[in-house]
Amino acid sequence: DISGLENAVNENTAGIMIELIQGESGVNPVSREFAEKAAELCRKNDIALIVDEVQTGIGRTGKLFAYELYDLKPDIVTMAKGLGGGVPIGAFCASEKFASAFKPGDHGTTFGGNPLSTRAGLVVLDELIHGGVLENIGETGSYLFDKLRQLADANSKIANVRGRGLMCGLEFSEPIAKEIGEKLRDNKVLVGVVGDRVLRIVPPLIVTKSDIDYLINALKEAI
Ligand SMILES: *Cc1c(COP(=O)(O)O)cnc(C)c1O
């Protein structure tokens, strides 16, 4: 809601923090128009554009960060989850203007910036950028979406397939998501269930085409 966004910004606003593809609430991408308006409001009001890439970042959408899909230039980017490849870590990057508000030691946390997690993060980035993982996401992501769209065309219980890369929301036309999620789990496929109509499908970034075939067959059976 672009006018809602415009009305929400006033002289007390420090920034706009946005998930470009909402994860937890069912893989809902914002429109290009909305993203561009958020960026424009930040520029005009001299406030921070903060993109929450905890779920969309680190290759999930086929780009290193989802803001690349929208041609945005955020002031601050948050990341976590995939960054450590299973090792716990959270981080954020900021442009010089915003980063200069912090000095080393200002932001202490018990487990922040420890050598194990940061080393794991560096290995993950190296594998993504130089080890072919990002290319794999592009390929397996389009394979996943092709297969899901074929399944949707042949099945009236699937109302919508949305997302990018290996971040997919599958919406049913009936309230069957929980039941389908349970059937998939019985078949050793773990998906997120959002409300009663949406599955959030976010496979590992090293997923193979045969893994995706397995998922599609399990989905067919469950439906
Ligand atoms: C999990 C998650 C967070 C929380 O990250 P922490 O590292 O636990 O603070 C924030 N944003 C999104 C989109 C998430 O999925």
Side-chain angles (χ1 to χ4, degrees), residues 46-51 67 73-79 92-102:
D46 197 25
I47 58 178
L49 176 62
I50 308 167
V51 179
Y67 70 74
K73 203 166 174 289
D75 301 301
I76 299 173
V77 176
T78 64
M79 59 200 93
F92 70 91
C93 288
S95 63
E96 188 56 38
K97 179 178 167 191
F98 290 89
S100 62
F102 275 85

Side-chain angles (χ1 to χ4, degrees), residues 174-193:
E174 300 166 24
I176 53 173
K178 188 160 175 270
E179 210 180 329
I180 300 281
E182 280 165 7
K183 285 188 172 162
L184 287 173
R185 193 179 55 206
D186 291 343
N187 250 327
K188 301 185 165 65
V189 177
L190 296 176
V191 298
V193 175

Side-chain angles (χ1 to χ4, degrees), residues 19 24 52 54-55 80-81 90:
E19 260 187 291
E24 230 42 38
D52 180 346
V54 171
Q55 255 184 74
K81 299 204 172 92

